[in-house]
PDB file of all heavy atoms in Angstrom:
ATOM      1  N   THR A  77     159.340  92.144  42.861  1.00 36.00           N
ATOM      2  CA  THR A  77     159.403  92.318  41.424  1.00 36.00           C
ATOM      3  C   THR A  77     160.077  93.637  41.156  1.00 36.00           C
ATOM      4  O   THR A  77     160.089  94.517  41.998  1.00 36.00           O
ATOM      5  CB  THR A  77     157.991  92.339  40.791  1.00 36.00           C
ATOM      6  OG1 THR A  77     157.293  93.487  41.274  1.00 36.00           O
ATOM      7  CG2 THR A  77     157.222  91.083  41.133  1.00 36.00           C
ATOM      8  N   GLY A 160     181.871 124.901  37.620  1.00 97.00           N
ATOM      9  CA  GLY A 160     180.462 125.240  37.470  1.00 97.00           C
ATOM     10  C   GLY A 160     179.934 126.160  38.550  1.00 97.00           C
ATOM     11  O   GLY A 160     180.640 127.061  39.020  1.00 97.00           O
ATOM     12  N   TRP A 314     169.928 131.467  12.799  1.00 93.00           N
ATOM     13  CA  TRP A 314     169.918 130.429  11.798  1.00 93.00           C
ATOM     14  C   TRP A 314     170.993 129.387  12.083  1.00 93.00           C
ATOM     15  O   TRP A 314     171.969 129.634  12.779  1.00 93.00           O
ATOM     16  CB  TRP A 314     170.107 131.015  10.394  1.00 93.00           C
ATOM     17  CG  TRP A 314     171.365 131.842  10.226  1.00 93.00           C
ATOM     18  CD1 TRP A 314     171.590 133.104  10.668  1.00 93.00           C
ATOM     19  CD2 TRP A 314     172.557 131.418   9.562  1.00 93.00           C
ATOM     20  NE1 TRP A 314     172.849 133.522  10.338  1.00 93.00           N
ATOM     21  CE2 TRP A 314     173.473 132.512   9.648  1.00 93.00           C
ATOM     22  CE3 TRP A 314     172.957 130.263   8.891  1.00 93.00           C
ATOM     23  CZ2 TRP A 314     174.753 132.460   9.095  1.00 93.00           C
ATOM     24  CZ3 TRP A 314     174.227 130.209   8.349  1.00 93.00           C
ATOM     25  CH2 TRP A 314     175.099 131.305   8.452  1.00 93.00           C
TER      26      TRP A 314
END
Side-chain angles (χ1 to χ4, degrees):
T77 65
W314 56 284

